[in-house]
Amino acid sequence: MTEHVQRNYVKIWAMLCALLVVSILGPLIGIRMLTVITAFGVAIVKAFLVAKHFMHLDIEKRWVAYVLLAMIGFIVVMFAGIAPDVMKHDGLRWENTAAKEAVRSGGGAVAGGHR
Amino acid sequence: MTGIPTGRLAVWWVLASEIVIFGGLLGAYIMHRIGHPEWEGQAIHTNVWAGGFNTFVLLSSSLSAVLAHQAAERGDGKSAARLLLLTAAGGATFLIVKAFEWTAEITSGFTIGSNLFWSFYYTAAGLHALHVLAGMVILLFVAATAAKNIELHRVENIGIYWHFVDIVWIFLFPLLYIAK
């Protein structure tokens, strides 16, 4: 087992709860950038705290963290490859008419629709 | 050879594959969300307080899971078992809240087929809920053996899995509930 260092788990849990309050209250202020920082920035900090202190990744064999980070790297590659096609609705020789129509009408987006 | 006990090594491999499963799903959601600003009109109907309460429940269940691990380290199987049962109760609470939440949303007409936002919403939250359910079953099994003071290393293994389920929800919460 990996439990070799003394940690105050209740204190870490209290920090996580405080961060949860920040992520809920942040968007109430109504500034979009602040919402992004408080909601997603706080999520990254919370995930880091759980991984480090509760999953004990800091005292686990180093290669485990590298394997997990490699998986996140695969996701980044997938995102970079697909996102331009999904996030943009037209290009030099193509147009996603269904997505444009969904945005225009304010209704639900539908898959496909390229031409 | 790896320097890690086989059981824990297996858990890390499972989590590596889970990162790709949830990462792919959430990555696809993020890119569609950015490409479809009109989804804000759908996202506004998700219940922030139910999501926030469930986040608190999962964070607290992660605390009991890590305290169970601490008890197992001391060789106190009975305390570890009690704390694992508390963790499973957290999972049950999470699912009950989710059931009420989904009932309200479905009766309001927001079903998995309503549009892509709700498709992502039910798929991501549903897949996560299945992981919570699977974790609860394993938690109960490990608690039963830990109460007899046998195979205490399992307490850490299920704890690692449960913390991962917590981390997935930590990202689902802002994506599905906060970003309006």
Side-chain angles (χ1 to χ4, degrees):
Chain A
M1 297 190 204
T2 53
E3 182 58 29
H4 303 299
V5 290
Q6 286 296 320
R7 298 175 207 254
N8 189 338
Y9 293 116
V10 175
K11 188 177 168 187
I12 294 159
W13 169 79
M15 285 168 63
L16 289 165
C17 290
L19 287 168
L20 169 63
V21 172
V22 170
S23 65
I24 293 173
L25 294 182
L28 295 179
I29 296 169
I31 302 169
R32 197 170 177 83
M33 188 50 72
L34 194 66
T35 299
V36 172
I37 293 167
T38 53
F40 297 102
V42 162
I44 291 168
V45 174
K46 279 198 291 187
F48 175 79
L49 287 173
V50 171
K52 182 184 177 187
H53 296 292
F54 286 178
M55 296 172 90
H56 302 123
L57 260 178
D58 57 338
I59 53 171
E60 182 57 281
K61 295 284 181 194
R62 188 64 62 87
W63 64 263
V64 171
Y66 293 153
V67 168
L68 300 181
L69 286 172
M71 298 304 121
I72 295 171
F74 287 142
I75 299 303
V76 171
V77 170
M78 183 211 76
F79 192 93
I82 302 171
D85 193 35
V86 176
M87 288 160 57
K88 280 168 58 90
H89 296 158
D90 52 31
L92 281 177
R93 285 182 293 277
W94 63 276
E95 185 182 17
N96 187 340
T97 52
K100 277 187 171 179
E101 174 57 24
V103 174
R104 191 195 60 75
S105 67
V110 289
H114 287 71
R115 74 177 187 195
Chain B
M1 194 170 77
T2 59
I4 299 176
T6 309
R8 200 168 80 221
L9 179 66
V11 174
W12 285 124
W13 281 123
V14 167
L15 296 195
S17 63
E18 294 280 3
I19 287 175
V20 182
I21 293 168
F22 279 106
L25 186 60
L26 296 189
Y29 171 78
I30 290 168
M31 63 181 82
H32 277 87
R33 183 70 195 264
I34 293 170
H36 290 278
E38 80 278 9
W39 284 16
E40 281 182 16
Q42 304 294 325
I44 202 150
H45 298 291
T46 60
N47 190 330
V48 177
W49 298 109
F53 176 75
N54 261 348
T55 310
F56 171 75
V57 168
L58 276 194
L59 289 175
S60 303
S61 70
S62 257
L63 173 67
S64 56
V66 80
L67 291 177
H69 174 206
Q70 204 174 37
E73 288 287 341
R74 293 194 306 268
D76 186 354
K78 290 212 180 304
S79 293
R82 271 196 299 273
L83 286 159
L84 287 180
L85 289 176
L86 191 62
T87 307
T93 306
F94 178 91
L95 292 179
I96 289 167
V97 171
K98 209 94 206 78
F100 277 108
E101 203 185 336
W102 279 24
T103 302
E105 283 156 356
I106 290 167
T107 51
S108 299
F110 303 117
T111 65
I112 194 167
S114 294
N115 69 9
L116 263 185
F117 170 80
W118 291 102
S119 300
F120 270 115
Y121 173 82
Y122 286 111
T123 304
L127 186 64
H128 177 264
L130 280 177
H131 280 74
V132 171
L133 192 62
M136 283 169 60
V137 172
I138 303 167
L139 278 166
L140 295 176
F141 176 78
V142 174
T145 55
K148 297 172 194 158
N149 246 14
I150 52 173
E151 306 283 9
L152 288 181
H153 66 279
R154 289 174 177 169
V155 176
E156 179 184 28
N157 295 343
I158 183 57
I160 291 172
Y161 171 86
W162 194 258
H163 301 314
F164 175 79
V165 171
D166 187 14
I167 286 177
V168 171
W169 184 256
I170 282 172
F171 285 105
L172 280 178
F173 176 58
L175 285 170
L176 300 177
Y177 294 84
I178 299 288
K180 301 286 191 190

